[in-house]
Amino acid sequence: MAQGKGKIKKATATKKHQKKALGPKKGARTIAPKKKTTVKAAKVKKALEVTIKANIEQELTQVAVSKQSKPLKMVKPAAGKKPAKKKGGGKKQK
């Protein structure tokens, strides 16, 4: 005969073994090209996007300044600093 109470199973999962959300992850997904010509084309495309966005921002600020009675103050990030990356992401290093 068994003595004592039986083992009690926990109904909730622990923090280590929680279920992950199913489905695709948020954010843009791009596959890096392997051929030199496609890499070069991707760089040109990215440079064009950056310049087009900068020109659009300039045009919008000019329109906003001309239509407002108050002076417009633009907030720009520091030119020398890059945004801080989160730790723990990516591949593990030994």
Short mmCIF file of all heavy atoms in Angstrom, two decimals, residues 1 6 13-14 19 23 25 28 32 34-35 40 44 50 53 59-60 62-63 69 73-75 79 81 89 91 94:
data_model
loop_
_atom_site.label_atom_id
_atom_site.label_comp_id
_atom_site.label_asym_id
_atom_site.label_seq_id
_atom_site.Cartn_x
_atom_site.Cartn_y
_atom_site.Cartn_z
N MET A 1 0.82 -1.19 0.00
CA MET A 1 0.00 0.00 0.00
C MET A 1 0.86 1.25 0.00
O MET A 1 1.88 1.31 0.67
CB MET A 1 -0.87 0.04 1.26
CG MET A 1 -2.04 -0.90 1.20
SD MET A 1 -2.92 -0.83 2.73
CE MET A 1 -4.16 0.29 2.30
N GLY A 6 -0.49 11.52 -3.03
CA GLY A 6 0.09 11.40 -4.37
C GLY A 6 0.68 12.72 -4.84
O GLY A 6 0.45 13.77 -4.25
N ALA A 13 1.67 26.37 -16.70
CA ALA A 13 3.02 26.13 -17.17
C ALA A 13 3.98 27.10 -16.48
O ALA A 13 3.61 28.22 -16.15
CB ALA A 13 3.09 26.30 -18.67
N THR A 14 5.20 26.67 -16.29
CA THR A 14 6.20 27.55 -15.69
C THR A 14 6.66 28.57 -16.73
O THR A 14 6.37 28.44 -17.91
CB THR A 14 7.41 26.74 -15.18
OG1 THR A 14 7.98 26.05 -16.29
CG2 THR A 14 7.01 25.76 -14.12
N LYS A 19 3.94 28.44 -23.81
CA LYS A 19 3.73 28.25 -25.24
C LYS A 19 4.05 29.53 -25.99
O LYS A 19 3.70 30.62 -25.55
CB LYS A 19 2.28 27.84 -25.51
CG LYS A 19 1.95 26.47 -25.01
CD LYS A 19 0.55 26.09 -25.39
CE LYS A 19 0.21 24.70 -24.90
NZ LYS A 19 -1.14 24.30 -25.27
N GLY A 23 2.22 31.49 -35.67
CA GLY A 23 2.05 32.41 -36.77
C GLY A 23 3.33 33.17 -37.07
O GLY A 23 4.35 32.97 -36.42
N LYS A 25 6.15 36.15 -37.44
CA LYS A 25 6.66 37.18 -36.55
C LYS A 25 6.42 38.55 -37.16
O LYS A 25 6.27 38.68 -38.37
CB LYS A 25 8.16 36.98 -36.33
CG LYS A 25 8.49 35.72 -35.57
CD LYS A 25 9.97 35.63 -35.35
CE LYS A 25 10.32 34.37 -34.58
NZ LYS A 25 11.76 34.26 -34.35
N ALA A 28 9.58 43.35 -40.99
CA ALA A 28 9.94 43.02 -42.37
C ALA A 28 10.92 41.86 -42.39
O ALA A 28 11.82 41.76 -41.56
CB ALA A 28 10.56 44.23 -43.04
N ALA A 32 18.78 37.77 -47.82
CA ALA A 32 19.96 38.42 -48.39
C ALA A 32 20.31 37.77 -49.73
O ALA A 32 20.37 36.55 -49.83
CB ALA A 32 21.13 38.30 -47.43
N LYS A 34 22.63 36.49 -52.91
CA LYS A 34 23.94 35.87 -52.92
C LYS A 34 24.79 36.31 -54.10
O LYS A 34 26.00 36.17 -54.08
CB LYS A 34 23.78 34.36 -52.93
CG LYS A 34 23.11 33.88 -51.67
CD LYS A 34 23.10 32.39 -51.57
CE LYS A 34 22.29 32.03 -50.36
NZ LYS A 34 22.70 30.98 -49.60
N LYS A 35 24.18 36.82 -55.16
CA LYS A 35 24.95 37.22 -56.34
C LYS A 35 25.38 38.67 -56.22
O LYS A 35 24.67 39.50 -55.65
CB LYS A 35 24.11 37.01 -57.60
CG LYS A 35 23.79 35.55 -57.84
CD LYS A 35 23.00 35.36 -59.10
CE LYS A 35 22.70 33.88 -59.29
NZ LYS A 35 21.88 33.65 -60.47
N LYS A 40 24.58 44.58 -55.34
CA LYS A 40 24.80 45.96 -55.77
C LYS A 40 23.48 46.67 -56.05
O LYS A 40 23.28 47.84 -55.67
CB LYS A 40 25.68 45.96 -57.02
CG LYS A 40 26.19 47.30 -57.42
CD LYS A 40 27.16 47.20 -58.58
CE LYS A 40 27.68 48.56 -58.96
NZ LYS A 40 28.61 48.48 -60.09
N VAL A 44 21.87 50.09 -54.24
CA VAL A 44 21.41 51.25 -55.00
C VAL A 44 19.96 51.56 -54.64
O VAL A 44 19.58 52.72 -54.42
CB VAL A 44 21.57 51.01 -56.52
CG1 VAL A 44 20.86 52.09 -57.32
CG2 VAL A 44 23.04 50.96 -56.89
N VAL A 50 16.44 56.08 -49.31
CA VAL A 50 16.85 57.03 -48.28
C VAL A 50 16.78 58.47 -48.80
O VAL A 50 16.26 59.37 -48.12
CB VAL A 50 18.29 56.70 -47.79
CG1 VAL A 50 18.85 57.82 -46.93
CG2 VAL A 50 18.28 55.39 -47.01
N LYS A 53 13.08 59.58 -49.26
CA LYS A 53 12.45 59.88 -47.97
C LYS A 53 12.95 61.21 -47.40
O LYS A 53 12.17 61.99 -46.85
CB LYS A 53 12.70 58.75 -46.98
CG LYS A 53 11.90 57.51 -47.27
CD LYS A 53 12.15 56.43 -46.25
CE LYS A 53 11.39 55.17 -46.59
NZ LYS A 53 11.64 54.08 -45.64
N GLU A 59 10.37 68.60 -48.08
CA GLU A 59 9.22 69.26 -48.70
C GLU A 59 8.10 69.46 -47.68
O GLU A 59 7.47 70.53 -47.63
CB GLU A 59 8.71 68.45 -49.88
CG GLU A 59 9.63 68.46 -51.08
CD GLU A 59 9.14 67.55 -52.20
OE1 GLU A 59 8.02 67.02 -52.09
OE2 GLU A 59 9.90 67.37 -53.16
N LEU A 60 7.85 68.44 -46.86
CA LEU A 60 6.79 68.56 -45.86
C LEU A 60 7.12 69.62 -44.82
O LEU A 60 6.23 70.36 -44.38
CB LEU A 60 6.55 67.20 -45.19
CG LEU A 60 5.87 66.14 -46.04
CD1 LEU A 60 5.79 64.83 -45.29
CD2 LEU A 60 4.48 66.59 -46.44
N GLN A 62 8.97 72.27 -45.28
CA GLN A 62 8.83 73.58 -45.93
C GLN A 62 7.36 73.99 -46.00
O GLN A 62 7.02 75.14 -45.74
CB GLN A 62 9.43 73.55 -47.33
CG GLN A 62 10.94 73.49 -47.34
CD GLN A 62 11.51 73.33 -48.73
OE1 GLN A 62 10.77 73.18 -49.69
NE2 GLN A 62 12.83 73.36 -48.83
N VAL A 63 6.49 73.04 -46.32
CA VAL A 63 5.06 73.34 -46.38
C VAL A 63 4.54 73.67 -44.99
O VAL A 63 3.78 74.64 -44.81
CB VAL A 63 4.29 72.14 -46.98
CG1 VAL A 63 2.79 72.33 -46.82
CG2 VAL A 63 4.65 71.97 -48.45
N SER A 69 1.87 79.81 -38.17
CA SER A 69 2.19 81.15 -37.68
C SER A 69 3.36 81.08 -36.69
O SER A 69 4.14 82.02 -36.58
CB SER A 69 0.98 81.78 -37.02
OG SER A 69 0.56 80.98 -35.94
N LYS A 73 9.92 73.68 -34.87
CA LYS A 73 11.16 73.14 -34.32
C LYS A 73 11.26 71.67 -34.72
O LYS A 73 10.36 70.88 -34.43
CB LYS A 73 11.19 73.26 -32.80
CG LYS A 73 11.25 74.69 -32.31
CD LYS A 73 11.29 74.74 -30.81
CE LYS A 73 11.30 76.17 -30.33
NZ LYS A 73 11.29 76.25 -28.86
N MET A 74 12.36 71.32 -35.38
CA MET A 74 12.57 69.93 -35.80
C MET A 74 13.46 69.23 -34.78
O MET A 74 14.48 69.77 -34.35
CB MET A 74 13.25 69.87 -37.17
CG MET A 74 12.40 70.44 -38.29
SD MET A 74 10.92 69.48 -38.58
CE MET A 74 11.59 67.96 -39.16
N VAL A 75 13.09 68.01 -34.42
CA VAL A 75 13.87 67.21 -33.49
C VAL A 75 14.56 66.13 -34.31
O VAL A 75 13.92 65.31 -34.95
CB VAL A 75 12.97 66.57 -32.41
CG1 VAL A 75 13.80 65.71 -31.47
CG2 VAL A 75 12.24 67.64 -31.65
N ALA A 79 23.73 62.89 -34.66
CA ALA A 79 24.31 62.40 -35.92
C ALA A 79 25.36 61.32 -35.68
O ALA A 79 25.48 60.38 -36.46
CB ALA A 79 24.93 63.56 -36.68
N LYS A 81 25.64 59.17 -33.05
CA LYS A 81 25.23 57.98 -32.31
C LYS A 81 24.25 57.14 -33.11
O LYS A 81 23.41 57.67 -33.83
CB LYS A 81 24.57 58.37 -30.98
CG LYS A 81 25.51 59.01 -30.01
CD LYS A 81 24.82 59.27 -28.70
CE LYS A 81 25.75 59.87 -27.67
NZ LYS A 81 25.07 60.10 -26.40
N GLY A 89 20.06 39.05 -28.35
CA GLY A 89 19.46 38.65 -29.61
C GLY A 89 20.48 38.04 -30.54
O GLY A 89 21.68 38.26 -30.43
N LYS A 91 22.73 35.07 -32.58
CA LYS A 91 23.40 33.80 -32.34
C LYS A 91 24.15 33.84 -31.01
O LYS A 91 24.62 34.88 -30.57
CB LYS A 91 24.39 33.52 -33.46
CG LYS A 91 23.71 33.35 -34.80
CD LYS A 91 24.76 33.07 -35.86
CE LYS A 91 24.11 32.94 -37.22
NZ LYS A 91 25.09 32.71 -38.27
N LYS A 94 30.44 31.50 -28.08
CA LYS A 94 31.12 30.71 -27.04
C LYS A 94 32.39 31.36 -26.61
O LYS A 94 33.01 32.07 -27.27
CB LYS A 94 31.43 29.31 -27.59
CG LYS A 94 30.16 28.51 -27.77
CD LYS A 94 30.50 27.09 -28.16
CE LYS A 94 29.25 26.27 -28.31
NZ LYS A 94 29.53 24.92 -28.67
#
